[in-house]
Amino acid sequence: MAATATTPIELVEAAYAKLSERVATGRERLGTPLTLTEKILLNHLRDPAVGGLERSVSYTDFDPDRIAMQDATAQMALLQFMTAGLPEVATPTTVHCDHLIQAKVGATIDLGVAIDTNKEVYDFLESVAAKYGIGFWKPGSGIIHQVVLEQYAFPGGMMIGTDSHTPNAGGLGMVAIGVGGADAVDVMTGYPFNVRFPKVIGVHLTGSLSGWSSPKDIILEVARILTVKGGTGAIVEYFGPGAESISATGKATICNMGAEIGATTSVFAYDESMDAYLRATRREAIADAARGVAEHLRPDPEVYEHPADFYDQVIEIDLATLAPLINGPHSPDYAHKVSEIGADAADKGWPIEISAALIGSCTNSSYEDITRAASIARQASAKGLKAKTKLLITPGSEQVRATIERDGLLADLEAIGGEVLANACGPCIGQWARPDMDPSTVNTIVNSYNRNFPKRNDGSANTLSFVTSPDTVIAMALAGRLDFNPITDTLTTEDGEAVKLDEPVGIRLPEQGFDPGEDTFVAPPDDRTGIDVVVSPTSDRLQLLEPFPAWDGKDFVELPVLLKAYGKCTTDHISMAGKWLKYRGHLENISGNLFAGVINAYTEADGTGKDPLDGETKPFPDIAKHLHEAGVSWVAVGDENYGEGSSREHAAMEPRYRGAKAILVRSFARIHETNLKKQGVLPLTFADPSVYDQIEEDDKLSFLGLADLAPGKPVYSEIVKPDGTTVAFETNHTMNDEQISWFRAGGALNIIRQRAASN
C-alpha cells in the first residue's frame, strides 16, 4: 500500500472487517468479557488461535497497522532497515522531521537554519523514504504525535512509533506503543511486533472538569498516584462518564503523558468526541466506518458494571473535585496543587520567580488548548497586562499553526509578549538555546510539556522544570511567579489596579474547520528503481552500520564495572539529547555522550568515574572509549527503573558499541529493557536488590552458565573482589526463547539479515 498523507479507508476497513470475529474468538479463548485493550490487541494478533494471552507472562506476536518515526530516531532505524536487503517496507510507515529544529530566534529563522544545518540528514531521510515506500513529512510539518493524530490515528487501530510519546494516538482510541528502532525494523521487514501481553489498569473517571482544571490535570494526578514506574507492563484504559466528557485532543494529552508512568500505552473508548474530531480533520469515511463497529471499540458492558473483575487495578478520579496541579521539578510524578506550590517552593528553596514560560509541544498544542490559553491572554491584554517573563509558544503542527493564526489566537498570545516558535519539539526535548541564561544559575521554568528530568529542556541541571496545563502556564507567565494561584490571587495593572483573571474558555474544534496550511507531505514515487541512498564515508552525521559480533559461547568472567549509577538513570542520562541530536545517525560520534549525565554511586559526581584500566578519574564517555579501544568488555550497574523516559535506542546501541556485555539493575523501564535485548546486551536484574549495595568501585562481575540460558532460569553471578574473593548472587532476566536467540546472534538485526538473505 503506497504511503499517503492520511490513513487510507481501505486499511481501516480491513482492520474492522475481522474485528467481530476476533472479539468472539477472544471471549471464547479467555472465557470472559473483554476490555477495550484486549479487543484491540486480539484483533491485531498475527494468529488469533496461537500463543498465550496471560497478562504479564505471555510473549505475543502482533501485526500493527502502521509505523511512525521521528527524524532523530528514524536515522538509526532506517540505517538498520537498509541492511536487511528488502525492496520496500512491509507496513505503512512515515517519517516526521520534528526533533532537529532548535528554538533560538523565532519560527521562520529557526526553521531556515535547521533546514540548512541538517540538510545532509534530511536528504538522507527523504531519499530512504522515497526508495523504500515511506511517507515523508518535511521540517515544519509539525510534531510527529500531533500529525499522527490529525492524519493517521483511528479508533481500534494499532501502531508502533520510535518515540516514547507515541501513545498520544490513544486519544482517538488507538493502541499506539513507543518502541525502539529495532522493533520498528522488525515490523518494516514483515515480522511481528513481539511484546508481553500487558496488564490492564482501569482509570474510572466520573464527574466533569470545570474552571481552571483541564485534561492535563488528570494525567498529572495519575502520575502522582502511580509514580514513574507504576504503569510498567500495563496499558492504561480510561473509562466512565468523565472520560466521555473530554474532547479527543484532551484524551490525547492524557495518553501522551502516560509515557511518564512507564505504561506500555494508554487508550480511551470510541465516543462522540472522537467522531467529531475525525470529521473535523476531513476523515468522514473513517468516522462512518467506526460507527459501524462501535460496540467493539469500547469495553464489554460487564466491564463497565464490575471493573474490578476485569482490570488488574482500578483508579477512581472524580473530575469535579480535581484541582489544578503542577508537577516537578526533576520528575513528572512529583505533584503539587497549584494552590500549594508557592509554599512548597519556599520550603524547598526553589526560585519563586519564573525565568521562562512555555506552552505547546506534542502534549498540549491542540486547537482547544490554544483557545483556552488565548482566552486568558485576551482578557489580560484588555486589562493592560503583559507576561512578566519570556513566553514561548510551540504549535504542534502546521495545521494547528495555520488555523490558530487565521482565527486570531496567535495574535492574542503575541499581544501579551508571546513568541511563536517553529512547528517542532524544540524546548521540550532540549532543543532550546538560552544565551540569556547562565547555566550555573538556578532558575524556574513552567511549561505544558510532559517530561522534566534535569537538563531536559535547555541542557542545564540548574533549570527547575515544572509541568502544568497551558492555562496555568499563561496565568503564571502574567504573574511572573510560581506562587500565583489564578483561582484566588489578583494581578496588578500598570495603573495599580488589582484584577482577577476569569476562568479559561476553550473551543474544541474550529467553527470554520481546520486550515491545513502549507502542504509538507512527500509521498514516495511510484517508480523507485533509480533512487540511490548515499552516505559519505567522511560524514560526521551519518555512518553505515556494521553488524555487532555474535556471542562467542563463553561466560562473562570478571567484567570491570564501568559505572554504578545512583538513583534516577533515564535515557537522557545515558544518551543525552540537546546538542547530541545531530549525531543520531552516527553511532561512533554519538557514543561520545555515553553515560555523560549519570550520577556516580561512589562519589555522587555527575558524569565522571574511575577508569578500571588506569585508575584515573575521567568522564564516563572517555572511560567507555578507553575500554572499547583496549578490547575490554564491561558491565554497568543501575538502580530502580533504569532507562525510563525516551524510547531512544541509542541508549542501548551506544553501550553495545563500546563493549557492554551486560547491564545489571534493580529494575528496568520497559522500552529500554527491550532495546538492550534487541542489541544483544544481556539485561539482568538483582534477585535480591540489596546486592546492589555490595558492589564496590574496584569489583568485577561474572555471569556464569550462559550456555544454559533459558526462559525463567536465573543466572548464577559473582562479585569478584580485588583480592580474589567472591560473593555469589543470583540475577534474573525476562527473555523468552526468541530473545535468547537475539543474544546469541549478537542482536535481533543479525537474525533479520539472515532471514532476508535466505529468502
Side-chain angles (χ1 to χ4, degrees):
M1 184 178 294
T4 61
T6 58
T7 291
I9 185 59
E10 294 81 7
L11 185 153
V12 178
E13 289 174 341
Y16 290 168
K18 59 185 180 179
L19 184 54
S20 179
E21 180 182 346
R22 289 291 185 93
V23 167
T25 299
R27 290 196 189 106
E28 183 177 342
R29 287 190 63 188
L30 293 170
T32 179
L34 302 177
T35 62
L36 171 63
T37 294
E38 288 167 323
K39 291 181 178 183
I40 297 174
L41 293 179
L42 288 162
N43 195 40
H44 289 86
L45 289 173
R46 172 148 288 197
D47 187 333
V50 173
L53 301 176
E54 187 176 354
R55 295 180 185 180
S56 297
V57 175
S58 303
Y59 279 96
T60 315
D61 286 340
F62 297 101
D63 284 324
D65 297 303
R66 66 179 313 111
I67 302 162
M69 299 182 286
Q70 39 95 336
D71 48 0
T73 53
Q75 294 172 64
M76 198 58 71
L78 291 174
L79 284 165
Q80 293 177 83
F81 176 79
M82 287 168 60
T83 69
L86 298 176
E88 63 182 3
V89 293
T91 301
T93 302
T94 50
V95 170
H96 304 255
C97 296
D98 63 356
H99 270 55
L100 300 179
I101 303 170
Q102 187 179 47
K104 188 173 184 179
V105 178
T108 303
I109 293 176
D110 289 346
L111 179 59
V113 169
I115 291 172
D116 291 340
T117 304
N118 302 306
K119 184 178 188 305
E120 179 185 16
V121 172
Y122 292 146
D123 287 349
F124 166 75
L125 292 173
E126 187 169 0
S127 64
V128 175
K131 184 175 181 64
Y132 295 108
I134 297 169
F136 181 76
W137 288 86
K138 294 188 291 187
S141 302
I143 305 173
I144 176 174
H145 313 302
Q146 182 64 32
V147 175
V148 165
L149 194 74
E150 294 170 352
Q151 306 291 341
Y152 298 117
F154 66 93
M158 182 180 188
M159 69 173 287
I160 57 173
T162 60
D163 188 283
S164 55
H165 294 103
T166 299
N168 191 79
L172 270 182
M174 191 174 213
V175 165
I177 301 174
V179 300
D183 278 321
V185 172
D186 277 351
V187 179
M188 283 191 283
T189 56
Y191 292 94
F193 170 54
N194 183 268
V195 68
R196 270 187 167 159
F197 206 89
K199 296 183 295 183
V200 189
I201 296 174
V203 179
H204 184 215
L205 302 179
T206 56
S208 59
L209 296 165
S210 62
W212 286 87
S213 296
S214 73
K216 185 63 163 278
D217 297 304
I218 298 172
I219 186 56
L220 295 177
E221 172 69 359
V222 172
R224 181 193 69 80
I225 294 168
L226 287 176
T227 78
V228 291
K229 63 179 183 178
T232 303
I235 290 180
V236 180
E237 185 173 308
Y238 292 84
F239 68 101
E244 295 185 7
S245 71
I246 304 167
S247 68
T249 52
K251 292 176 171 70
T253 291
I254 295 165
C255 292
N256 176 295
M257 200 174 158
E260 310 321 317
I261 58 173
T264 301
T265 192
S266 303
V267 68
F268 281 81
Y270 170 77
D271 61 14
E272 289 300 317
S273 70
M274 295 184 191
D275 181 89
Y277 185 77
L278 286 168
R279 296 181 191 279
T281 51
R282 301 172 296 280
R283 290 176 285 174
E284 294 85 354
I286 294 177
D288 291 340
R291 284 200 172 203
V293 293
E295 65 177 300
H296 299 311
L297 300 177
R298 57 175 64 102
D300 283 336
E302 296 91 337
V303 176
Y304 282 131
E305 294 165 7
H306 305 286
D309 294 341
F310 302 98
Y311 295 113
D312 295 278
Q313 179 181 355
V314 178
I315 296 169
E316 299 279 351
I317 298 177
D318 180 0
L319 302 185
T321 62
L322 184 63
L325 297 174
I326 182 168
N327 289 20
H330 300 330
S331 193
D333 59 349
Y334 189 10
H336 320 263
K337 292 181 179 179
V338 168
S339 60
E340 298 172 356
I341 185 62
D344 292 345
D347 180 60
K348 299 291 185 181
W350 301 328
I352 297 295
E353 286 194 13
I354 296 169
S355 65
L358 309 96
I359 65 168
S361 86
C362 64
T363 318
N364 276 112
S365 59
S366 69
Y367 187 82
E368 181 181 23
D369 287 327
I370 301 300
T371 58
R372 284 175 64 93
S375 75
I376 303 167
R378 194 178 307 118
Q379 56 171 297
S381 184
K383 295 171 182 177
L385 297 169
K386 286 187 178 292
K388 292 184 178 178
T389 187
K390 182 184 288 289
L391 174 61
L392 302 176
I393 302 105
T394 305
S397 70
E398 169 61 8
Q399 179 165 269
V400 166
R401 185 211 60 78
T403 305
I404 62 177
E405 181 178 46
R406 180 200 67 194
D407 293 352
L409 304 176
L410 280 185
D412 290 329
L413 295 167
E414 290 172 331
I416 62 166
E419 178 184 333
V420 181
L421 302 177
N423 310 327
C425 298
C428 186
I429 60 161
Q431 287 284 60
W432 182 21
R434 299 185 75 187
D436 57 334
M437 177 58 63
D438 184 339
S440 66
T441 301
V442 178
N443 70 102
T444 289
I445 66 171
V446 293
N447 61 75
S448 69
Y449 301 162
N450 44 43
R451 190 165 285 160
N452 58 352
F453 304 142
K455 302 185 181 181
R456 172 74 182 183
N457 302 115
D458 60 4
S460 172
N462 290 311
T463 294
L464 308 185
S465 177
F466 293 85
V467 175
T468 187
S469 70
D471 319 339
T472 301
V473 170
I474 294 291
M476 288 185 170
L478 290 165
R481 296 177 60 85
L482 190 63
D483 58 359
F484 178 71
N485 179 5
I487 297 177
T488 58
D489 298 345
T490 59
L491 298 168
T492 303
T493 68
E494 290 184 356
D495 297 332
E497 181 186 0
V499 297
K500 193 166 180 288
L501 295 173
D502 297 329
E503 295 174 350
V505 177
I507 302 171
R508 291 189 171 188
L509 297 167
E511 294 180 4
Q512 300 178 56
F514 282 103
D515 181 343
E518 182 183 348
D519 183 3
T520 54
F521 177 75
V522 181
D526 294 331
D527 182 5
R528 305 192 296 271
T529 55
I531 298 173
D532 293 321
V533 178
V534 178
V535 174
S536 169
T538 61
S539 172
D540 71 343
R541 300 286 303 269
L542 298 166
Q543 181 185 50
L544 295 176
L545 294 176
E546 295 291 333
F548 290 130
W551 176 55
D552 62 8
K554 298 178 182 178
D555 286 339
F556 298 155
V557 179
E558 296 191 22
L559 298 179
V561 178
L562 187 148
L563 64 82
K564 178 179 172 182
Y566 171 74
K568 189 182 286 288
C569 187
T570 72
T571 51
D572 281 308
H573 292 84
I574 302 167
S575 175
M576 288 184 180
K579 67 180 182 180
W580 292 97
L581 283 170
K582 68 179 290 186
Y583 298 123
R584 283 287 180 86
H586 198 294
L587 184 54
E588 181 177 2
N589 285 350
I590 199 171
S591 294
N593 74 2
L594 179 57
F595 298 130
V598 174
I599 304 300
N600 187 330
Y602 303 116
T603 65
E604 297 193 16
D606 183 353
T608 62
K610 182 178 179 180
D611 188 324
L613 297 184
D614 58 24
E616 295 182 11
T617 298
K618 303 174 184 175
F620 284 132
D622 293 349
I623 299 173
K625 183 178 181 182
H626 189 197
L627 290 167
H628 181 207
E629 292 177 345
V632 177
S633 300
W634 48 270
V635 60
V637 178
D639 210 325
E640 295 282 0
N641 207 33
Y642 179 90
E644 71 172 278
S646 169
S647 68
R648 68 189 65 146
E649 65 180 340
H650 298 77
M653 294 187 77
E654 291 174 42
R656 178 70 161 107
Y657 173 73
R658 286 301 192 200
K661 292 295 187 185
I663 305 292
L664 172 62
V665 303
R666 281 175 163 155
S667 65
F668 282 107
R670 175 191 63 86
I671 298 177
H672 186 65
E673 182 181 25
T674 299
N675 287 345
L676 290 169
K677 293 176 184 178
K678 288 283 187 178
Q679 301 304 332
V681 180
L682 189 62
L684 299 170
T685 56
F686 295 99
D688 176 1
S690 69
V691 175
Y692 167 94
D693 297 316
Q694 299 181 43
I695 299 173
E696 298 177 302
E697 193 168 25
D698 295 322
D699 292 348
K700 295 183 178 180
L701 297 176
S702 296
F703 305 101
L704 309 174
L706 299 182
D708 298 321
L709 198 62
K713 182 179 179 181
V715 175
Y716 177 80
S717 307
E718 290 180 344
I719 303 172
V720 182
K721 297 294 181 179
D723 64 2
T725 59
T726 61
V727 178
F729 67 103
E730 280 192 346
T731 57
N732 297 323
H733 68 88
T734 61
M735 294 185 290
N736 60 15
D737 286 326
E738 182 180 15
Q739 293 165 349
I740 291 171
S741 74
W742 300 343
F743 167 72
R744 291 174 175 155
L749 188 58
N750 290 345
I751 292 179
I752 291 175
R753 288 191 186 96
Q754 294 163 10
R755 289 170 177 168
S758 63
N759 289 339

